Amino acid sequence: DNIKFLLVVPVFLGILTHSSPLAAADQAGAAELLGRFAARTRGQVAELNSIRQLTTVSTRVGEQSVTMDQRVEMIFPDRIRRTMLVDGNEQAIVINAGTGFLASGTLSLPLPEARLSESVKQLGRDLLVLASSTGDPDLRAALVGAGEQDGVSCQLIDVSLETVRSRLCLDDEGKVLSQSFASRHPMSNAPGMIEIVFSDHRDAGGVYYPFRQVLTFEGEEMVTVTIQSLEINPALPDSLFLIPSSE
């Protein structure tokens, strides 16, 4: 059950976005707004290389409500380690340049292909990755209209980094209020919309980041992520991201 939970939670935290093309809209306006988002999010940090987060994750698996601590260590753009404390034991999911595995005690298992694909694509929607990619030719954006989040007006932009797409709701100053994308429920496989609502924005380590993130599927609250601490550009050893040999 614990391994199943570990496979489910990262799906909610990084589910695959839909593959429909971006809307043909105001490209210049989108680029200008995305630039404001990047400048506000990156703040005083000239270059984002790595992060370490300590978070609390609360979710429901069936009728069971589960809360656990999680440590996230990431080297941009394609290495991430999520370590959770489960029944007093550390269990980790590691992604390294398109490969990944689940480690639980002495057990090490390759991630199922669908979960691996979703976890890899998650990195393309990460707010700090997007904020660091504004000069990347693979980053495209289109302004698609006005929206509202919790009574606050925003501009909606469709963002694509390589093949990963999502829609951001940004206020006039570039603060991100929400992110949404089409996907499937990881348990029932039913198609629907995932929305992440961001709040409790704080200055931390030189960046401006939402410390509370609530994920919903078709309007039903599924996961709440509360960030306890955020460290910018820590020295992370390569050993954290080593993929076990298949031999």
Side-chain angles (χ1 to χ4, degrees):
D1 289 342
N2 288 336
I3 289 178
K4 181 179 180 182
F5 175 74
L6 280 177
L7 291 175
V8 168
V9 169
V11 171
F12 281 117
L13 300 182
I15 245 167
L16 180 64
T17 57
H18 64 89
S19 58
S20 59
L22 293 175
D26 185 354
Q27 303 293 330
E32 194 274 336
L33 184 58
L34 197 61
R36 272 183 275 164
F37 156 74
R40 185 177 180 94
T41 302
R42 291 179 57 174
Q44 305 172 24
V45 179
E47 185 174 359
L48 284 167
N49 299 311
S50 62
I51 63 167
R52 179 186 287 116
Q53 292 180 359
L54 298 180
T55 71
T56 300
V57 179
S58 302
T59 189
R60 294 189 65 85
V61 179
E63 297 300 318
Q64 183 181 12
S65 179
V66 180
T67 298
M68 62 175 55
D69 295 327
Q70 177 183 232
R71 183 174 66 250
V72 179
E73 291 153 313
M74 179 178 174
I75 295 179
F76 295 104
D78 59 3
R79 287 187 283 175
I80 187 168
R81 182 184 184 96
R82 297 185 181 276
T83 305
M84 294 186 181
L85 187 64
V86 180
D87 295 334
N89 298 312
E90 285 195 349
Q91 300 183 355
I93 289 179
V94 178
I95 305 296
N96 188 337
T99 59
F101 70 96
L102 168 67
S104 178
T106 59
L107 178 66
S108 178
L109 299 172
L111 283 180
E113 186 61 34
R115 298 294 185 258
L116 174 61
S117 176
E118 291 161 0
S119 297
V120 170
K121 289 177 182 294
Q122 173 188 359
L123 301 178
R125 283 200 319 276
D126 183 273
L127 297 181
L128 293 176
V129 170
L130 291 175
S132 300
S133 302
T134 50
D136 191 327
D138 289 326
L139 181 67
R140 296 178 293 130
L143 187 63
V144 296
E148 184 179 289
Q149 183 63 57
D150 296 331
V152 179
S153 299
C154 66
Q155 294 295 315
L156 302 174
I157 61 172
D158 282 351
V159 179
S160 170
L161 183 58
E162 296 183 348
T163 61
V164 183
R165 298 176 176 88
S166 65
R167 179 167 292 182
L168 298 178
C169 172
L170 303 175
D171 72 8
D172 289 340
E173 296 181 350
K175 181 170 74 174
V176 59
L177 305 180
S178 67
Q179 183 180 41
S180 59
F181 42 92
S183 189
R184 291 182 177 274
H185 193 289
M187 301 298 288
S188 67
N189 204 37
M193 291 298 299
I194 297 286
E195 182 181 42
I196 310 173
V197 177
F198 302 109
S199 60
D200 191 18
H201 293 72
R202 305 181 192 179
D203 292 308
V207 303
Y208 187 69
Y209 198 74
F211 270 54
R212 180 176 170 84
Q213 305 175 14
V214 178
L215 290 79
T216 64
F217 181 85
E218 289 295 307
E220 178 184 359
E221 186 173 320
M222 304 297 291
V223 176
T224 299
V225 178
T226 303
I227 297 176
Q228 306 298 336
S229 65
L230 173 62
E231 185 179 356
I232 301 300
N233 291 337
L236 300 178
D238 290 339
S239 59
L240 287 175
F241 311 97
L242 288 179
I243 302 297
S245 173
S246 58
E247 298 180 359

